[in-house]
Structure formats: C-alpha cells, structure tokens
C-alpha cells in the first residue's frame, strides 16, 4: 500500500472559465473529433486546478474515484508501493494526457498521482463525463480507445519489457517518450527533456539505478544517445534508434 505523503496542502485555484475550443495544447485531451457544441458540453463541466508544485499529490491511492484529470501543463507520475514497501512507478504523463482514467470501473484510485514540476490540471467529474458519453457516442468511443492505448502501453513497456536487457528497456522507454514529448531543435537535434529523475526511470523500468547508469553509458559509447543530466539527445534518425532496439 502506498504511503501517504505530506506537504500537499498548497493553494490550488479553480477556474471554471476554461474553454476547450481555445486550448493552447497542440492536441485536445479528449473530444478531438467533436463539433463545437459537443466540445462546449465538456467545457461546461471542467474545473481547472493548480498549480501543483513538484512533489504535491493530485489524488491519492484509495481516494474515492470521482474524476479523471487532463494535464493542461506540467507532468505527473503515477506511483504506488508493494506490500514490502518497494516503490512502483506505473508511468509518466504530460500535457494533453489523461490521468485517473485507469480507475474507471473501480470505486477508488489505484495509485498516487504526483506532480513532477509545476502542473495545472483540468478536472473532469466522471459521472458527468459518463452522462455525456451516453449522449455523444464519439466521446465514449474515444475514451475506450484511450483505455485500450493505456493497456497496450503497459503491456509493451512493463510486461514485455521485463524480458529485455537494460539497454533495450531504456530504448523502448526513450522511443515512447520521444513520440509523446520529444522535440527537434532548429539545428536538427532530436532531444527529450526529462522532468523525472533517472532514479524514477529506473524504478519504472524495474532496474537498479546502477544498471540504468551502465546502460546509458553503453548507449552513449555506441553513439546512440547523448546523456545529459535532464536531457537525452537521440543520435541519428528514428531508424537508427529502432534498429538498436531490436538488434
């Protein structure tokens, strides 16, 4: 069972004037293919909350499940612990992605959601979202797709990943991370900024910190990545990365 964290009583403002149609995110968290009137229905129930400071908890394991949350800005990790206290990090989530959706169908959250940096979220009360799904089949379909995507990610990175070497586990993680939040700089460099620590990455991948450190060194020596404190630069193109993954 996850231990309760302290220091999570900061001021979290509520702004009900959030307009999904003018959202600054590069893609909508939900409702991508909905028309203006349907999107307005979602806007009407959103409550924007924040900022959550690094280390603050957005929801806790075993809290009653009431809402799903879209990350408007910042990043979040989902974590829990085994009965013996061993920490488990289930994933990292970024702007435009949903958290809390893994609790759909249950009565409580299954993990803690912890901000990795200053983070604003949009709270969507699930009972009202569920009502909208009955009225807007496209929304229901999209949420089911998101649940399926979450299951596939877990299967690919956690279930299958446990049979891979440390190098390949990290490359699989890095490829997924780049697809979600990587950037190409003006001079053509492909980089991923890491809001999480390398220690968190090791826990997520089921590795010892020293095993991850050695894997990063080997990948850098092989010319596949350039490892910096909070940034990974991918050397070469995507084909080079994928070929290294499956060699």
């Amino acid at each position: 069972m996850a231990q309760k964290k302290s220091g999570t009583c900061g001021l979290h403002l509520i702004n009900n004037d959030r307009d999904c149609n003018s959202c600054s995110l590069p893609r909508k968290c939900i409702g991508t293919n909905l028309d203006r009137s349907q999107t307005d229905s979602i806007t009407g129930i959103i409550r924007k909350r924040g900022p959550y400071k690094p280390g603050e908890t957005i929801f806790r394991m075993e809290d009653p499940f009431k809402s799903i949350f879209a990350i408007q800005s910042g990043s979040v990790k989902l974590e829990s612990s085994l009965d013996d206290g061993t920490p488990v990090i289930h994933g990292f989530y970024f702007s435009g992605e949903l958290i809390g959706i893994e609790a759909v169908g249950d009565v409580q959250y299954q993990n803690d959601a912890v901000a990795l940096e200053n983070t604003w979220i949009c709270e969507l009360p699930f009972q009202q979202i569920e009502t909208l799904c009955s009225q807007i089949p496209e929304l229901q379909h999209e949420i089911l797709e998101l649940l399926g995507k979450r299951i596939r990610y877990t299967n690919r990175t956690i279930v299958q990943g446990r049979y891979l070497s440390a190098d390949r586990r990290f490359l699989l993680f890095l490829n997924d991370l780049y697809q979600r939040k990587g950037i190409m700089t003006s001079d053509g460099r492909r980089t991923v900024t890491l809001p999480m620590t390398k220690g968190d990455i090791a826990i997520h991948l089921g590795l010892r910190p020293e095993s991850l450190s050695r894997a990063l060194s080997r990948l850098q020596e092989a010319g596949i990545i350039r490892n910096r404190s909070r940034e990974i630069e991918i050397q070469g193109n995507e084909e080079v990365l994928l070929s290294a993954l499956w060699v």
Side-chain angles (χ1 to χ4, degrees):
M1 184 179 297
Q3 295 180 348
K4 299 300 182 183
K5 298 178 179 61
S6 59
T8 60
C9 57
L11 177 62
H12 303 135
L13 304 178
I14 301 177
N15 179 3
N16 288 323
D17 296 329
R18 181 71 178 156
D19 185 354
C20 293
N21 290 298
S22 60
C23 184
S24 60
L25 292 174
R27 60 180 177 81
K28 293 180 180 178
C29 53
I30 58 174
T32 302
N33 299 315
L34 303 184
D35 61 32
R36 179 65 183 251
S37 63
Q38 292 171 330
T39 304
D40 286 344
S41 298
I42 300 175
T43 299
I45 66 173
I46 284 179
R47 294 181 293 225
K48 184 179 178 184
R49 296 184 183 273
Y52 290 85
K53 297 178 181 179
E56 284 197 286
T57 304
I58 297 167
F59 58 78
R60 299 178 186 275
M61 183 177 180
E62 298 185 342
D63 281 350
F65 171 61
K66 295 180 180 179
S67 300
I68 58 178
F69 303 87
I71 302 174
Q72 197 274 329
S73 64
S75 56
V76 175
K77 66 178 176 180
L78 297 184
E79 65 178 8
S80 63
S81 61
L82 302 179
D83 290 341
D84 63 359
T86 301
V88 179
I89 295 179
H90 303 271
F92 306 100
Y93 300 92
F94 313 104
S95 297
E97 297 183 337
L98 296 179
I99 56 173
I101 194 169
E102 62 284 335
V104 170
D106 208 336
V107 297
Q108 59 191 25
Y109 296 103
Q110 299 301 302
N111 36 54
D112 294 342
V114 181
L116 292 168
E117 55 190 324
N118 286 340
T119 298
W120 284 84
I121 57 97
C122 296
E123 180 178 359
L124 298 91
F126 187 72
Q127 187 173 18
Q128 292 168 271
I129 285 290
E130 196 171 27
T131 299
L132 286 178
C133 284
S134 66
Q135 300 168 358
I136 309 173
E138 296 88 350
L139 178 61
Q140 182 182 54
H141 178 75
E142 187 173 341
I143 289 178
L144 289 173
E145 280 192 335
L146 288 169
L147 285 168
K149 183 178 180 180
R150 186 68 58 87
I151 292 169
R152 289 191 296 274
Y153 171 79
T154 300
N155 184 62
R156 184 173 67 252
T157 60
I158 306 300
V159 179
Q160 296 178 13
R162 72 178 65 178
Y163 301 106
L164 300 177
S165 66
D167 300 38
R168 291 181 179 178
R169 285 191 218 183
F170 179 75
L171 286 176
L172 189 65
F173 170 78
L174 179 62
N175 182 59
D176 177 79
L177 203 60
Y178 180 77
Q179 298 300 322
R180 293 160 65 196
K181 72 181 300 290
I183 61 171
M184 181 174 287
T185 63
S186 58
D187 57 358
R189 294 185 302 113
R190 298 191 304 139
T191 65
V192 180
T193 300
L194 304 176
M196 74 290 288
T197 65
K198 300 283 179 54
D200 277 350
I201 294 175
I203 292 172
H204 177 57
L205 297 179
L207 298 171
R208 295 182 180 275
E210 57 269 25
S211 297
L212 178 61
S213 179
R214 288 193 293 268
L216 292 173
S217 295
R218 287 192 295 267
L219 293 170
Q220 179 159 285
E221 290 171 1
I224 298 171
I225 65 169
R226 183 172 296 168
N227 179 30
R228 299 187 176 93
S229 176
R230 283 298 182 101
E231 181 184 89
I232 301 290
E233 180 181 341
I234 302 170
Q235 305 291 292
N237 56 30
E238 185 174 0
E239 287 71 24
V240 172
L241 178 62
L242 292 178
S243 63
L245 174 59
W246 299 118
V247 165

